[in-house]
């Protein structure tokens, strides 16, 4: 069975189209809400506490673009683990859209007429995300059957290599979701909460390149088994997890008014980001322990796998070529047949 090209099957096309269509509809709904409110309140947009709306719009645009890129990447790599991660991520989008409905309602406490105008758009967004989730589950079931045999041959039949390669894939997938959670939390803090003249604003800005370099360093280190870079990146994860202290600021009496319009979303993002980073650290240590013990060979095996059908065809081509070039074709025919049987036998065992 040959590997189909990207978007070469109905399930692949339907999967990416489902994500793209729901992204367009949801972003349109949020953009309409933002436009209606801005046109109604004019220059008093920020003073009335409606800054949660541009944050809502920016986060949804980021989330939909991120999901679309992740979906294309998963189809390109035939990565079942990443497809399952997309399903979990889409479920988190349902929760996020529901939280945004609640927080936007809080921001419109004194503007009932305006709230009635934008409420239908805010209801449509989580409904569309939830409905598309069921379609994605259906298509991923078909993609699992389509990619399953490819994944089996990528990791091979060796249980040791299989385990190491799977942890390697999970680690890279977690790094991608770490990136989204970090950008999501930072975006909310910068747009809605922090004052540009505050020290916390400067610290948050300075942390952006540090965290991005940390994630990129981890990815490069685990791909090429660079021990010093992997150790350094894993060590930096420990202080990076300290931002959990912000939960105290979200609910402390002295600062809770700053976060009232985005507290629920910030809490969910912060807790999820902390859990993801903790899982990334744990699995990163597992991958680090696998350095020089077969992990690199496992990845090389996965990248160079040739289906059994192609191996047999190559063996026949080599036999025909040798028969044309050599006068002793008859004497070599039996040895070529033996080689072909050997290829089939080894491939069957793998």
């Amino acid at each position: 069975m040959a590997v189909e090209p990207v978007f070469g099957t109905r399930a692949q096309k339907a999967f990416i189209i489902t994500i793209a269509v729901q992204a367009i509809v949801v972003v349109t709904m949020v953009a309409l809400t933002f436009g209606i409110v801005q046109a109604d309140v004019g220059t008093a947009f920020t003073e009335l506490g409606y800054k949660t709306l541009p944050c809502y719009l920016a986060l949804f645009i980021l989330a939909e673009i991120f999901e679309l890129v992740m979906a294309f990447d998963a189809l390109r790599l035939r990565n079942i683990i990443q497809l399952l991660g997309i399903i979990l991520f889409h479920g988190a989008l349902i929760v996020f859209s529901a939280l945004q409905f609640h927080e936007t309602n809080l921001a419109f406490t004194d503007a009932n007429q305006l709230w009635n105008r934008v409420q239908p758009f805010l209801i449509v967004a989580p409904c569309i995300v939830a409905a598309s989730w069921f379609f994605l589950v259906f298509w991923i079931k078909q993609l699992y059957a389509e990619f399953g045999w490819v994944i089996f041959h990528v990791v091979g039949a060796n249980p040791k290599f299989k385990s190491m390669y799977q942890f390697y894939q999970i680690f890279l997938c977690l790094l991608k979701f770490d990136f989204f959670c970090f950008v999501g939390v930072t975006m909310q803090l910068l747009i809605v909460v922090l004052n540009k003249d505050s020290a916390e604003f400067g610290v948050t800005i300075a942390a952006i390149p540090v965290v991005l370099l940390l994630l990129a360093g981890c990815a490069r280190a685990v791909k090429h088994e660079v021990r010093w870079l992997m150790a350094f990146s894993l060590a930096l994860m420990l202080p990076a997890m300290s931002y959990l202290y912000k939960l105290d600021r979200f609910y402390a009496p002295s600062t809770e008014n700053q976060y009232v319009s985005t507290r629920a979303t910030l809490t969910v993002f912060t807790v999820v980001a902390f859990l993801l980073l903790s899982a990334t650290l744990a699995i990163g240590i597992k991958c680090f322990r696998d350095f020089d013990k077969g992990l690199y060979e496992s990845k090389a095996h996965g990248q160079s796998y040739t289906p059994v059908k192609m191996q047999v065809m190559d063996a026949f081509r080599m036999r025909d070529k040798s028969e044309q070039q050599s006068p002793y074709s008859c004497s070599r025919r039996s040895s070529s047949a033996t080689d072909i049987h050997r290829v089939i036998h080894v491939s069957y065992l793998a």
Side-chain angles (χ1 to χ4, degrees):
M1 183 178 180
V3 178
E4 295 287 347
V6 180
F7 307 140
T9 63
R10 185 172 69 99
Q12 294 183 38
K13 294 176 182 177
F15 180 76
I16 206 74
I17 289 173
T18 301
I19 292 178
V21 170
Q22 69 87 28
I24 292 171
V25 174
V26 170
V27 171
T28 301
M29 294 298 104
V30 179
L32 287 173
T33 303
F34 176 77
I36 291 172
V37 175
Q38 189 174 39
D40 187 84
V41 302
T43 57
F45 189 83
T46 57
E47 286 77 3
L48 293 176
Y50 298 152
K51 287 197 298 181
T52 184
L53 288 175
C55 179
Y56 185 26
L57 177 61
L59 280 174
F60 253 113
I61 292 174
L62 172 68
E64 297 297 352
I65 293 176
F66 176 79
E67 186 177 37
L68 197 59
V69 172
M70 287 284 285
F72 177 79
D73 188 52
L75 294 179
R76 180 179 63 87
L77 299 175
R78 271 65 179 169
N79 192 330
I80 294 295
I81 292 173
Q82 191 160 311
L83 288 176
L84 296 177
I86 290 172
I87 285 294
L88 296 176
F89 178 80
H90 203 83
L93 280 183
I94 300 174
V95 177
F96 170 66
S97 57
L99 287 174
Q100 286 299 326
F101 179 88
H102 166 71
E103 292 183 341
T104 306
N105 189 15
L106 290 177
F108 283 76
T109 304
D110 300 325
N112 291 331
Q113 186 176 359
L114 184 58
W115 168 250
N116 291 333
R117 290 174 58 191
V118 301
Q119 185 179 11
F121 302 108
L122 294 173
I123 292 176
V124 169
C127 292
I128 293 295
V129 176
S132 62
W133 185 85
F134 291 99
F135 285 99
L136 292 179
V137 170
F138 174 78
W139 295 121
I140 282 181
K141 286 183 178 180
Q142 296 194 19
L143 291 172
Y144 184 84
E146 181 181 328
F147 296 163
W149 72 274
V150 178
I151 299 303
F152 172 78
H153 287 294
V154 164
V155 299
N158 189 318
K160 179 183 175 182
F161 283 3
K162 181 177 181 180
S163 175
M164 289 188 294
Y165 192 84
Q166 287 175 336
F167 276 108
Y168 164 78
Q169 283 191 317
I170 293 172
F171 182 72
L172 290 180
C173 191
L174 284 174
L175 288 177
K176 298 171 186 176
F177 288 112
D178 286 335
F179 165 78
F180 173 79
C181 285
F182 168 74
V183 174
V185 172
T186 304
M187 185 182 297
Q188 291 180 80
L189 292 174
L190 295 180
I191 294 177
V192 181
V193 180
L194 298 180
N195 187 340
K196 293 182 180 180
D197 299 327
S198 65
E200 189 175 358
F201 185 89
V203 172
T204 303
I205 290 292
I208 294 175
V210 175
V211 174
L212 293 181
L213 287 174
L214 164 65
L215 297 177
C218 276
R220 178 173 178 79
V222 76
K223 286 181 179 179
H224 301 282
E225 296 195 354
V226 184
R227 282 186 168 273
W228 70 267
L229 182 58
M230 188 68 172
F232 179 71
S233 300
L234 292 176
L236 280 181
M237 285 188 184
L238 293 174
M241 295 166 67
S242 63
Y243 67 84
L244 192 64
Y245 83 93
K246 287 184 176 292
L247 283 176
D248 179 65
R249 295 178 60 83
F250 299 162
Y251 297 94
S254 59
T255 56
E256 65 176 352
N257 290 333
Q258 292 178 267
Y259 304 91
V260 65
S261 63
T262 56
R263 183 163 51 198
T265 305
L266 275 171
T267 300
V268 171
F269 262 85
T270 304
V271 172
V272 171
F274 177 80
L275 294 175
L276 281 175
L277 196 58
S278 301
T280 305
L281 177 62
I283 294 178
I285 293 173
K286 171 66 172 64
C287 292
F288 182 70
R289 293 178 60 188
D290 290 334
F291 281 10
D292 302 324
K293 294 182 180 179
L295 179 61
Y296 188 80
E297 288 77 7
S298 177
K299 290 182 290 184
H301 171 71
Q303 294 165 0
S304 62
Y305 170 72
T306 303
V308 175
K309 179 180 177 181
M310 296 304 298
Q311 294 182 40
V312 174
M313 291 175 64
D314 289 342
F316 273 108
R317 290 193 192 101
M318 292 176 61
R319 186 197 67 175
D320 294 339
K321 185 177 180 180
S322 63
E323 288 179 351
Q324 293 174 3
Q325 294 178 353
S326 173
Y328 305 104
S329 57
C330 294
S331 60
R332 295 193 177 195
R333 186 165 298 174
S334 60
S335 61
S336 298
T338 304
D339 293 338
I340 293 170
H341 286 297
R342 186 181 296 113
V343 168
I344 297 173
H345 179 68
V346 171
S347 301
Y348 174 77
L349 292 177

